[in-house]
PDB file of all heavy atoms in Angstrom:
ATOM      1  N   THR A 218    -172.350-123.042 -38.714  1.00  0.00           N
ATOM      2  CA  THR A 218    -173.467-122.195 -38.273  1.00  0.00           C
ATOM      3  C   THR A 218    -172.974-121.182 -37.259  1.00  0.00           C
ATOM      4  O   THR A 218    -171.913-121.323 -36.659  1.00  0.00           O
ATOM      5  CB  THR A 218    -174.580-123.049 -37.648  1.00  0.00           C
ATOM      6  OG1 THR A 218    -174.046-123.781 -36.538  1.00  0.00           O
ATOM      7  CG2 THR A 218    -175.165-124.011 -38.670  1.00  0.00           C
ATOM      8  N   ARG A 255    -173.967-116.862 -23.944  1.00  0.00           N
ATOM      9  CA  ARG A 255    -173.967-117.933 -24.951  1.00  0.00           C
ATOM     10  C   ARG A 255    -173.834-117.339 -26.355  1.00  0.00           C
ATOM     11  O   ARG A 255    -173.058-117.847 -27.176  1.00  0.00           O
ATOM     12  CB  ARG A 255    -175.255-118.748 -24.842  1.00  0.00           C
ATOM     13  CG  ARG A 255    -175.401-119.824 -25.915  1.00  0.00           C
ATOM     14  CD  ARG A 255    -176.619-120.707 -25.669  1.00  0.00           C
ATOM     15  NE  ARG A 255    -177.852-119.950 -25.558  1.00  0.00           N
ATOM     16  CZ  ARG A 255    -178.553-119.498 -26.594  1.00  0.00           C
ATOM     17  NH1 ARG A 255    -178.124-119.732 -27.823  1.00  0.00           N
ATOM     18  NH2 ARG A 255    -179.658-118.811 -26.419  1.00  0.00           N
ATOM     19  N   VAL A 257    -172.437-114.495 -27.211  1.00  0.00           N
ATOM     20  CA  VAL A 257    -171.076-113.968 -27.390  1.00  0.00           C
ATOM     21  C   VAL A 257    -170.105-115.119 -27.684  1.00  0.00           C
ATOM     22  O   VAL A 257    -169.226-114.997 -28.547  1.00  0.00           O
ATOM     23  CB  VAL A 257    -170.635-113.178 -26.138  1.00  0.00           C
ATOM     24  CG1 VAL A 257    -169.146-112.855 -26.211  1.00  0.00           C
ATOM     25  CG2 VAL A 257    -171.452-111.894 -26.001  1.00  0.00           C
ATOM     26  N   VAL A 258    -170.274-116.231 -26.978  1.00  0.00           N
ATOM     27  CA  VAL A 258    -169.402-117.390 -27.225  1.00  0.00           C
ATOM     28  C   VAL A 258    -169.617-117.918 -28.642  1.00  0.00           C
ATOM     29  O   VAL A 258    -168.647-118.240 -29.355  1.00  0.00           O
ATOM     30  CB  VAL A 258    -169.680-118.499 -26.187  1.00  0.00           C
ATOM     31  CG1 VAL A 258    -168.989-119.807 -26.600  1.00  0.00           C
ATOM     32  CG2 VAL A 258    -169.195-118.070 -24.809  1.00  0.00           C
ATOM     33  N   GLU A 259    -170.867-118.000 -29.071  1.00  0.00           N
ATOM     34  CA  GLU A 259    -171.150-118.494 -30.432  1.00  0.00           C
ATOM     35  C   GLU A 259    -170.566-117.544 -31.482  1.00  0.00           C
ATOM     36  O   GLU A 259    -170.058-117.986 -32.520  1.00  0.00           O
ATOM     37  CB  GLU A 259    -172.654-118.669 -30.614  1.00  0.00           C
ATOM     38  CG  GLU A 259    -173.207-119.837 -29.800  1.00  0.00           C
ATOM     39  CD  GLU A 259    -174.719-119.928 -29.843  1.00  0.00           C
ATOM     40  OE1 GLU A 259    -175.382-118.933 -30.194  1.00  0.00           O
ATOM     41  OE2 GLU A 259    -175.257-121.003 -29.504  1.00  0.00           O
ATOM     42  N   HIS A 260    -170.649-116.233 -31.217  1.00  0.00           N
ATOM     43  CA  HIS A 260    -170.039-115.250 -32.121  1.00  0.00           C
ATOM     44  C   HIS A 260    -168.520-115.489 -32.193  1.00  0.00           C
ATOM     45  O   HIS A 260    -167.936-115.552 -33.277  1.00  0.00           O
ATOM     46  CB  HIS A 260    -170.335-113.839 -31.591  1.00  0.00           C
ATOM     47  CG  HIS A 260    -169.638-112.737 -32.318  1.00  0.00           C
ATOM     48  ND1 HIS A 260    -170.296-111.865 -33.172  1.00  0.00           N
ATOM     49  CD2 HIS A 260    -168.331-112.357 -32.338  1.00  0.00           C
ATOM     50  CE1 HIS A 260    -169.421-111.006 -33.676  1.00  0.00           C
ATOM     51  NE2 HIS A 260    -168.216-111.273 -33.173  1.00  0.00           N
ATOM     52  N   SER A 261    -167.901-115.640 -31.023  1.00  0.00           N
ATOM     53  CA  SER A 261    -166.444-115.836 -30.966  1.00  0.00           C
ATOM     54  C   SER A 261    -166.032-117.141 -31.637  1.00  0.00           C
ATOM     55  O   SER A 261    -164.970-117.213 -32.272  1.00  0.00           O
ATOM     56  CB  SER A 261    -165.968-115.824 -29.514  1.00  0.00           C
ATOM     57  OG  SER A 261    -166.271-114.602 -28.900  1.00  0.00           O
ATOM     58  N   ASP A 262    -166.862-118.170 -31.503  1.00  0.00           N
ATOM     59  CA  ASP A 262    -166.551-119.460 -32.146  1.00  0.00           C
ATOM     60  C   ASP A 262    -166.457-119.307 -33.658  1.00  0.00           C
ATOM     61  O   ASP A 262    -165.587-119.904 -34.302  1.00  0.00           O
ATOM     62  CB  ASP A 262    -167.626-120.498 -31.795  1.00  0.00           C
ATOM     63  CG  ASP A 262    -167.494-121.009 -30.358  1.00  0.00           C
ATOM     64  OD1 ASP A 262    -166.457-120.764 -29.730  1.00  0.00           O
ATOM     65  OD2 ASP A 262    -168.452-121.644 -29.883  1.00  0.00           O
ATOM     66  N   VAL A 263    -167.364-118.503 -34.228  1.00  0.00           N
ATOM     67  CA  VAL A 263    -167.332-118.289 -35.683  1.00  0.00           C
ATOM     68  C   VAL A 263    -166.045-117.566 -36.076  1.00  0.00           C
ATOM     69  O   VAL A 263    -165.349-117.962 -37.019  1.00  0.00           O
ATOM     70  CB  VAL A 263    -168.566-117.480 -36.148  1.00  0.00           C
ATOM     71  CG1 VAL A 263    -168.423-117.106 -37.629  1.00  0.00           C
ATOM     72  CG2 VAL A 263    -169.839-118.271 -35.919  1.00  0.00           C
ATOM     73  N   VAL A 264    -165.710-116.501 -35.321  1.00  0.00           N
ATOM     74  CA  VAL A 264    -164.491-115.734 -35.623  1.00  0.00           C
ATOM     75  C   VAL A 264    -163.271-116.650 -35.560  1.00  0.00           C
ATOM     76  O   VAL A 264    -162.422-116.641 -36.458  1.00  0.00           O
ATOM     77  CB  VAL A 264    -164.341-114.565 -34.629  1.00  0.00           C
ATOM     78  CG1 VAL A 264    -162.968-113.901 -34.798  1.00  0.00           C
ATOM     79  CG2 VAL A 264    -165.456-113.545 -34.834  1.00  0.00           C
ATOM     80  N   GLU A 265    -163.200-117.475 -34.521  1.00  0.00           N
ATOM     81  CA  GLU A 265    -162.027-118.336 -34.349  1.00  0.00           C
ATOM     82  C   GLU A 265    -161.957-119.388 -35.455  1.00  0.00           C
ATOM     83  O   GLU A 265    -160.885-119.703 -35.967  1.00  0.00           O
ATOM     84  CB  GLU A 265    -162.067-119.002 -32.978  1.00  0.00           C
ATOM     85  CG  GLU A 265    -160.800-119.740 -32.656  1.00  0.00           C
ATOM     86  CD  GLU A 265    -160.567-119.875 -31.154  1.00  0.00           C
ATOM     87  OE1 GLU A 265    -161.277-119.231 -30.373  1.00  0.00           O
ATOM     88  OE2 GLU A 265    -159.670-120.631 -30.786  1.00  0.00           O
ATOM     89  N   ARG A 266    -163.130-119.922 -35.833  1.00  0.00           N
ATOM     90  CA  ARG A 266    -163.157-120.952 -36.879  1.00  0.00           C
ATOM     91  C   ARG A 266    -162.660-120.379 -38.211  1.00  0.00           C
ATOM     92  O   ARG A 266    -161.846-120.997 -38.902  1.00  0.00           O
ATOM     93  CB  ARG A 266    -164.593-121.480 -37.000  1.00  0.00           C
ATOM     94  CG  ARG A 266    -164.724-122.782 -37.746  1.00  0.00           C
ATOM     95  CD  ARG A 266    -166.021-123.474 -37.400  1.00  0.00           C
ATOM     96  NE  ARG A 266    -167.217-122.736 -37.759  1.00  0.00           N
ATOM     97  CZ  ARG A 266    -168.168-122.385 -36.902  1.00  0.00           C
ATOM     98  NH1 ARG A 266    -168.068-122.662 -35.624  1.00  0.00           N
ATOM     99  NH2 ARG A 266    -169.246-121.724 -37.317  1.00  0.00           N
ATOM    100  N   VAL A 267    -163.152-119.183 -38.545  1.00  0.00           N
ATOM    101  CA  VAL A 267    -162.733-118.549 -39.797  1.00  0.00           C
ATOM    102  C   VAL A 267    -161.246-118.214 -39.756  1.00  0.00           C
ATOM    103  O   VAL A 267    -160.510-118.405 -40.732  1.00  0.00           O
ATOM    104  CB  VAL A 267    -163.565-117.269 -40.040  1.00  0.00           C
ATOM    105  CG1 VAL A 267    -163.007-116.488 -41.226  1.00  0.00           C
ATOM    106  CG2 VAL A 267    -165.025-117.619 -40.280  1.00  0.00           C
ATOM    107  N   TYR A 444    -158.222-109.777 -31.858  1.00  0.00           N
ATOM    108  CA  TYR A 444    -159.348-108.890 -31.540  1.00  0.00           C
ATOM    109  C   TYR A 444    -158.904-107.449 -31.259  1.00  0.00           C
ATOM    110  O   TYR A 444    -159.548-106.494 -31.681  1.00  0.00           O
ATOM    111  CB  TYR A 444    -160.093-109.410 -30.308  1.00  0.00           C
ATOM    112  CG  TYR A 444    -160.855-110.692 -30.526  1.00  0.00           C
ATOM    113  CD1 TYR A 444    -160.340-111.908 -30.094  1.00  0.00           C
ATOM    114  CD2 TYR A 444    -162.095-110.696 -31.163  1.00  0.00           C
ATOM    115  CE1 TYR A 444    -161.032-113.091 -30.289  1.00  0.00           C
ATOM    116  CE2 TYR A 444    -162.794-111.862 -31.364  1.00  0.00           C
ATOM    117  CZ  TYR A 444    -162.268-113.062 -30.924  1.00  0.00           C
ATOM    118  OH  TYR A 444    -162.945-114.233 -31.130  1.00  0.00           O
TER     119      TYR A 444
END
Side-chain angles (χ1 to χ4, degrees):
T218 59
R255 176 174 55 81
V257 169
V258 169
E259 290 173 342
H260 173 107
S261 300
D262 285 347
V263 172
V264 171
E265 188 155 349
R266 196 159 62 237
V267 172
Y444 291 101

